[in-house]
Each structure stands twice: as C-alpha cells, then as structure tokens.
Amino acid sequence: MKKQYALSFCFVLLCSVLFAQQQILLLTESFENASHAFDLTTGGVGTNSGTNNWVVNNKYSGVPLYPNTPPQDSIVLGQINGAPFSKYLHIHDEVEAASSGTANANWNPSNVSDRFAFIGDAFCTLGMTDVIFTFFWIGEGTNDAYGEVYYRIGTGNWIKTGRAKYNNQTKWQYEKIQDVAFNNVSNIQFGFRWVNPGGGGQTGISFGIDDVIAIGSYNSTTNPAVITVPTVNPTTVCQGELLTFSWALSTALCFGDYYIELSDGNGNFGPNPSTNQFISISSGVTSGSISWPVPDNVVGNCFKIRLHRTGQPEIIGQASPCFAILDCPESIITRNAPVMNDADTTCLLSVIDVKFNSFGVFNPGNKYTAQLSDSTGSFANPFKLGDNPSNETYPSIPQGNVAGLIPANVPPGCGYYIRVISSNPAVTGTTIGPFCFAQCDILTNDHTDIQLCVPDSIPFPSCTQLNIHPNQWDMEAKYDTCNNWTIELRSMKTFGLVNSGGLGIYHDSVGGDYTLCVEAATLPVAPGSYYMRILSDCSSSSWNQTGSVIRITIGVPNTSPPVIYGLQPDTVFCNAGLFGMVALPYNPDSKYWWSSQIFNNGEEFERVPPPNYFYGNLTNAPPGDYLFRIREQNFGCYGPYSDEYVYTIITIPTGQLTGPVQVCLGDTVTFNTTFFKETYYDWNAPPGVKILDEGNSQVSMIFDTLGTYEIENYSLISVVLTQVSTQ
C-alpha cells in the first residue's frame, strides 16, 4: 500500500516590493496583435531559400493536401494565449497557400528549403543572470526535416541552442532554454530555423511557434548594482540655483530612468522622498554628471540626493555627501541683447530680446521687465522694452528672456543702457551698455514677426505677405530703379549673419507688399527662429540702407506622424507602478505634445525632458483602455497626430494553485495555477519532489520521499512592472 502525505500550496504574484531576487520580463510575443516582433524575410542562418516559408496566421486546416495542424488545446502541459486557434508563427508551403489558401503548419517535402525567422529588435540583459527563453512549439518533420533555435549577441554569429532537432512532436510542447551566455549582454536576439531536403516523401506538421517569452533575474545580494553620487558642487547652494553632481553605477545596466530624490535638511529620506526631475541612463553607461535645479522651498544644512532606478530592476541608490541649501537674496544679472550686437546702429522699432539670469525665489505674480535708460544712463524715467510674467528662476541655461520692441519715441543717439528688473520681490538687475539707436529709413514688415510652416515633403511653397516701408521717418532718402530689397537673416544668439538673399531679393524702388515664399526642398537655412531685416543697395542716403529688425520663425514638421512604442514588452498593466513609451522618429529641435483621456483632463500636454518619452504612474488608475497619441511641433508648426496607442489597465489579478492535497509515494501528479496571458511561470519543487515537465501554468511532479511539502508558483505577469509579494 502506498503511503500518502499532505501538501500545502503557495501562489505568489510578483508585483511591487524590492526583493533580493527580481525577475524581469524582457520579451513577450503572442502573435495576437496586428504586428509582431519577428523578421521573417531577412534571414541570418542558412540560405534563406525555398518555398516552405515562415508566416504568421491562425490557419489550422490543411485540407485537401496537408494534414490539419493540431489545435492549441492539444497540448502536453500548460495553456496558450488565445487557444485553441490563435495566431502563431509557422512554416507553410507558400505555393500551395497562393493556389488554394491552405496556409497551416505544413511543408512540401519535394522542395528543399532553409528558412530563418528572428526577433527583429534585440533586447538587453545587462546586470541579469538566469536569463531564460521560453516558447510553445509543435512539429513532426522527419529526421532530415526539423526546426532549430539560435541566439546572437550583438552583431556576432548566430549560435545554435536548445535541442539538436525540433521534430517528432504532434502536440504543443512548452520549451524552456537557459544558458549563461544569455546573461549580462547589451543586446541579444533569438531566431528559429527550418530545414528540409527535397526529393519527396510523406507530408506532416511543420515547425510552429507561439507564446514566446524571455525573462532575466537581478539579484541584489549576489550581483548587486550600486548607484552612487560621489560629488556635489557647490556644497552650499541657493534656492532655485543649479547643483552639479556626478553619478556612477558599479555595473552596467540596461536603459533605465532614475528619479533624483532629495532628503530632508538632516540627510534623512522618508517613505516618499521629494523628486522634481528624472534622468535616463543608456545601456552600458556607468558614469556621468548632471546639473539639477534645487527646490526653491527648502532650507537646511545637510541635504542629500540619491538616484532611484524606477524600472526593473528597481534599485535605490546611495546618498550623496551633504550640501546646504540657503535662502539667498534674490538677484538678477542682465546678460545681453543680441540685436544690440549689430555693427550698425540699432534701428528704432526693432524687436529686442533681453537675456538674463536670476537667482533666489520669485513669487507667484512676479513679472520680469526689460528697461532702457535715457541717453545719460539714468533709469529715473526708463523706457519699457517688454515684460515676461514668470515666477521661474533662471540660474543658468536656458537663460531668462524678455521679448519686446524698441519704442519709436526713444531719441536717436548713444549712451543708453539696458537692465532687467522683477516685481515680486522687487529686484534691480545689473546693466549692460552703452548702446546707440537710430531712426532707420526702412521699416521691415511694420515691426510684425513672421511665422512660416513648411511641411517637409510638400512639393509646393508656403507663402506669406511681406511689407517693406521706406521713408519711415522722412522723405529724404530716394531709391533709384537700380535698387534691390534684400532679406537678411541673423542669429538670435549672436546677431551674426546667417543668410543674405536666400529668402528673397525684390527689384523695386518704392516698397509695398511682396509675397515671401519658402519651400522645404530649397530652404536656404535650417528650420528655426532668426532675426530678419530688409537691406537696400541703391539709396541716396547710402549711410541709411538698413531696415528695422523683426523675428521670422520657419517650422518644418515631419509630414509622417511619429510612431509610439511601448518601453515594456506588453500593453496591459496593473493599476500600480509606472509605465512608459517613446515616440519615434525624434527631432531634438522639436517639441512633442501628448494627449490621453487619463492625463491632464484629456488636453494636450508637453513632456520635457526628453519630450518624446512619456512616463506615467498608474497607481489606482481606473481599469479600462487608455488611448495615447502624439504630434510634433517644430518651431511653432504642427505635424500630424500619430496613430492611437492603446494601454489596457487592469486591477492586480489574483491567482490560485490547484491540485491534489494528498498523494501516494511515487505518484506523478499535475498541478495547475491560474492562467494569465503573456506570463512567465516559475515552479518551485522542494527537496524530495522532482519536476518532470513544465507547461507554464501546469507542472508534472513525482514524489519519491515521504513528507509534507509546499508547492510554490511565482508568476511574473507582463502587466506588472515592479515587484510586490502577495499571497
């Protein structure tokens, strides 16, 4: 008589607490979406030839020429997403498919074939161990017709792994491949190969693949990555100013985002430390530095910062040395006004941009104002050049800016100075100068700025009206018939010459309205903002042939919309933790505007930096489908919206492990747990119990020792980004 013993069960759903061992989902592909991650045509191993070729579909009927492919509920152990007739990757006779539509997992033994399909986008395993590649497969073939599995590190050679031959399998079988070569590499790819000779023979089921998953493990005990902030500079900093700190990783990791966390004034980090910025660190990069604006609402003698990696693996870094944050007196340094760098005297009624830096804390309702003195340098009754309502502090780059217009009532002459002041608190900035002003004869476009939008692939120009007004101040200057009005562009940083005549030269002596046209293919300058003015070359007042200055902005948005890609291997998430996506291609000169019904009340919003990345916190988000889209804004001009990218938010699922609670010595028993799609299942058998076969949500075990055991399953669900233990 066989003796019986009792079992206890444990199902652990990995969600979000820091474990010493973190399993990380690297790749999932169920082939159920409109697109998939596999390259079926480029090849990689073998000749990539023959009419037995790879395809992704949900065809299972081979009638009339080939046997039917077994449905996916014909399975050894486990469960396949979308079974019994889900989409899958498989070899098929493409000639017969074109003729009769038969496109299940079949092959023509008369046609020699050698075909390779591989994951098009490599993935990273830096800092990880125990990387595992899993999939379900089926395939009869013959001794000479079979499947193979390969991997490649970087751009190296493809290396065979797994079984010698994938054949003689008439039910769907779960496969699990593990190799130390998969660990700690910056990019790795996997591929499947099918080979068969010609010469005819019996037909059968070809090589079929479904539910591809890769996972890795990060162990903070045996292989920890330590994040340090070795230096901070300066060690005493004013509120709102920039602190420069260095950072270092003890070992290279995959791309990740790191929040900059700030302690209290005594160097202590609470349960929810303050964050006001994150940085992205690329794969393989282990050191760097960043300038970070310290908060403007804290004061203390021993603040510390640390980096907290938010994605997997989640790592909380070590704290920096102490630094002090002081409530310093507010100050403003007026830096420059590029228009005043002109070799000629600056024209009245020209636009002006006054650059400045500010330090300290400026209150809500504050307004920065650029002022112009009189010709003696006195600010007793200053001219106002412009206002910038802002309570931001501008300690470094980008500098603050006050945009305005040089008034017409400024008396021509020299000895003028410029400064920037603030209103709340009242601060008087430093001065720059002296400067000279003149009543120039030519008024450019009635001192009105120009915006041109020129889509990059539209084969016709974008046009606007340009007004040239000579004799703005008097009628003394005469323009002969030899005169040309030339458009001149100058840098908004230095006022240096960028282009003369590329946007237009008008042969005319009286001025008036002209048509200014720009085409992307012949644009003489890069997209951007420039100072612009009109020059004359044939005036009776040869010393006064320079026009006033306006701004012109030329935007060239991409006419092809960006494409949104998820930064995780799935589009389904629990309503806990973070998620992210990126839009490509990316133009660093452009802004990007996101929209979704879950953020900012459905209104568009800008993400900086970097603007083409989006990260969100889903904690307690209501379950449902959330649509995201993005569009480019290139120097004020909008491109088309991207297609909608859908994230499905669900509540954290619960699982249950089932099986007999009493078995006899020597029995082989099957245990089951709740099936979640695109999920990696890790079965744990205690000593005295041997795992015979796994099938993701099912396992077969044999018990050869008396005792009471706990059978465990840890499920790494693709909808979970970070790890929490619940039972």
Side-chain angles (χ1 to χ4, degrees), residues 6 9 32 78 176 582:
F9 299 144
E32 291 304 293
K176 189 174 179 181
V582 61

Side-chain angles (χ1 to χ4, degrees), residues 181-200:
F182 305 163
N183 301 339
N184 198 37
V185 295
S186 59
N187 52 68
I188 184 172
Q189 293 168 286
F190 286 90
F192 298 100
R193 184 186 185 189
W194 165 264
V195 294
N196 72 267

Side-chain angles (χ1 to χ4, degrees), residues 49-70:
S49 61
T51 60
N52 299 314
N53 205 351
W54 291 104
V55 71
V56 173
N57 61 34
N58 59 352
K59 306 290 186 181
Y60 288 80
S61 173
V63 175
L65 187 60
Y66 295 113
N68 294 335
T69 303

Side-chain angles (χ1 to χ4, degrees), residues 29 31 35-45 48 53-56 89 115-122 152 158 189-193:
E29 181 55 77
F31 303 103
S35 60
H36 56 78
F38 276 77
D39 184 330
L40 309 184
T41 61
T42 305
V45 176
N48 196 33
N53 205 351
W54 291 104
V55 71
V56 173
L89 170 68
R115 290 291 186 178
F116 194 74
F118 63 98
I119 300 167
D121 293 325
R152 177 173 69 173
W158 288 97
Q189 293 168 286
F190 286 90
F192 298 100
R193 184 186 185 189

Side-chain angles (χ1 to χ4, degrees), residues 667-704:
D667 277 358
T668 299
V669 180
T670 298
F671 295 97
N672 298 270
T673 190
T674 307
F675 174 75
F676 300 105
K677 66 179 183 178
E678 299 184 76
T679 299
Y680 175 75
Y681 292 84
D682 190 8
W683 291 94
N684 184 16
V689 181
K690 180 180 180 182
I691 295 177
L692 298 179
D693 200 1
E694 291 184 58
N696 63 8
S697 60
Q698 284 187 309
V699 67
S700 175
M701 297 180 174
I702 187 169
F703 297 86
D704 52 16

Side-chain angles (χ1 to χ4, degrees), residues 23 75 78 100 139 213 335 337 386 398 435 455 494 503 505 574 587 607 671 695:
Q23 284 189 323
I75 195 166
S100 67
I213 292 177
R335 292 297 185 185
F435 301 115
T494 65
L503 287 188
I505 300 175
C574 292
N587 183 348
R607 300 290 291 186
F671 295 97

